[in-house]
Structure formats: C-alpha cells, structure tokens
Amino acid sequence: MNFDVLIIGGGAAGLSCALVLGSAKEKAFAKDKSIGIIAHQKASHLQNALFKNVLGLQPGTLGKDILESGKEQLKELYPHISQIEKEKVTQIEKLSGGFKVITNKGIYHSKIVVVAVGYTNLMTIKGLEDYVEPHPRTKPEKNRIWLKNTDHLIEENLYVAGTLAGWRSQFSMACGSGSHVATDILTLWNDGQHTKVHDKITV
C-alpha cells in the first residue's frame, strides 16, 4: 500500500496526529491525501495509566480505555484513514521520494513517515539507529531514548512525535506533540501557509 503519510504507533501521540490530519479532509490541499496509522499499542504506557490531572478527562479514566476509544473515534469520524492492526514495524528504509516501511506482516510505502512509538531502549526499528540518543528529560537510570530531531523533524519528511521526540512522559504533552506534527504536515501540504484545523459551533 502507498500513503502520503504513514504514522507508526497508536498511542497518545500517534492517534492525536491521525485525528488532526483526518479532520482536514475537507480542505482542498488535504482531501486527496492517503493517510495510514500502524496502530500497534502493546508497548504504550497508556496500558497502565490512570488519569486524574488531565483537563477534559473524567478523573479515574484509564489509559487502556483511551487507546480503544481513540481508535473508535478515528474510525467513526475519519474512516478515510487506514488503521493497520496487529503489525509491528521492524524497519524503515529511505527511498527516492519517500520511505519503505517494513512490518512483521507486510511492506508499505509513504512519502512522509511519523514515528510515534514509546521511548524505551527496547525500541528497535532498523534504519533509525543513527538518530538514537539518551533521552534528555528523564533520569539516566531509566535508560530512555529519543530520536534526535529539530522541532519534531528528524530529516526531510521523517518526523517523530511524543516521548520519543524528547518530551516528558505526560499524556497531554504526547497528545500536543502529535498534533504539532500533524499541523506541520498540513502546513507543508498547504504550500507553507501555517495551518491548523478548528471545529466551531455554528449559530
């Protein structure tokens, strides 16, 4: 399958990125774009999360429930986004004009790739080794990593979002990071004009 954007990771950052990209479907510069998300969630820290300090979330909300409801939200609101389930990325290969993404079950091609998996040192996607460094915002003994980037951009058309981008492990930060990357991609599609997507109540 071929995509304009392929998001790797179905946690807070990945799903937020997908939702914002999906919400731009009526924009002329985005309506024909093919978007996919490899929604691998087993390693997400949300699996064990309990939220009490997040604006807009009912205290006691479980992270594992957000993972499932997030995928359903994406499916119901933006069904044009392909959700690829039960696959894990093993390698990213740079090609002329894009990337080849290899999983344990298939091969995909995409012009833009967003890496939004967790920041543990168990992250082993071949092709990213040159960007891996100790995480700048965690205790050294935790052995967390980040992918070296400038404002979420690792290299042209290769982005990283969430804790793996160097942010601390807070749900709202990861969501914001994914949304940030999405608006950067929308801006790119919109010929460099700064772009965001807001839904408003009509009177």
Side-chain angles (χ1 to χ4, degrees):
M1 294 180 67
N2 296 324
F3 295 99
D4 290 289
V5 175
L6 183 58
I7 301 163
I8 299 170
L15 286 172
S16 294
C17 185
L19 286 166
V20 173
L21 288 175
S23 70
K25 63 186 174 69
E26 301 301 329
K27 305 289 185 182
F29 56 82
K31 65 179 181 179
D32 295 324
K33 301 297 186 183
S34 177
I35 303 165
I37 178 170
I38 298 176
H40 185 68
Q41 297 180 325
K42 286 185 178 180
S44 173
H45 286 142
L46 288 182
Q47 294 287 1
N48 300 312
L50 170 67
F51 293 107
K52 297 181 180 179
N53 64 352
V54 178
L55 180 66
L57 287 187
Q58 182 69 28
T61 297
L62 298 178
K64 64 180 183 179
D65 293 335
I66 291 175
L67 289 173
E68 289 306 312
S69 64
K71 289 193 296 184
E72 285 301 311
Q73 180 182 355
L74 185 62
K75 181 179 179 180
E76 290 177 11
L77 292 178
Y78 313 118
H80 64 290
I81 294 183
S82 300
Q83 293 192 46
I84 302 166
E85 300 278 1
K86 298 180 180 179
E87 294 190 32
K88 185 175 181 179
V89 174
T90 58
Q91 183 173 346
I92 298 174
E93 181 180 336
K94 187 175 181 179
L95 303 175
S96 176
F99 300 88
K100 179 165 70 173
V101 177
I102 302 171
T103 76
N104 58 326
K105 295 183 180 180
I107 296 175
Y108 305 91
H109 291 86
S110 185
K111 295 176 183 176
I112 296 172
V113 169
V114 180
V115 184
V117 298
Y119 67 155
T120 72
N121 62 354
L122 298 177
M123 192 283 294
T124 54
I125 298 176
K126 292 181 180 178
L128 298 178
E129 300 93 335
D130 290 345
Y131 308 110
V132 174
E133 292 187 353
H135 198 284
R137 293 187 176 97
T138 61
K139 295 179 180 180
E141 58 268 25
K142 288 186 175 288
N143 292 320
R144 304 303 190 197
I145 62 170
W146 78 313
L147 298 183
K148 190 176 180 180
N149 67 89
T150 301
D151 198 21
H152 294 97
L153 190 63
I154 299 172
E155 62 172 78
E156 186 177 13
N157 293 329
L158 180 60
Y159 294 84
V160 59
T163 53
L164 194 61
W167 301 110
R168 293 188 178 93
S169 181
Q170 291 283 150
F171 176 72
S172 53
M173 290 182 186
C175 289
S177 175
S179 300
H180 183 132
V181 170
T183 57
D184 280 352
I185 292 170
L186 294 177
T187 296
L188 183 67
W189 288 346
N190 196 20
D191 295 326
Q193 298 184 53
H194 289 290
T195 303
K196 52 189 178 293
V197 184
H198 289 154
D199 296 314
K200 297 181 180 180
I201 298 173
T202 56
V203 180

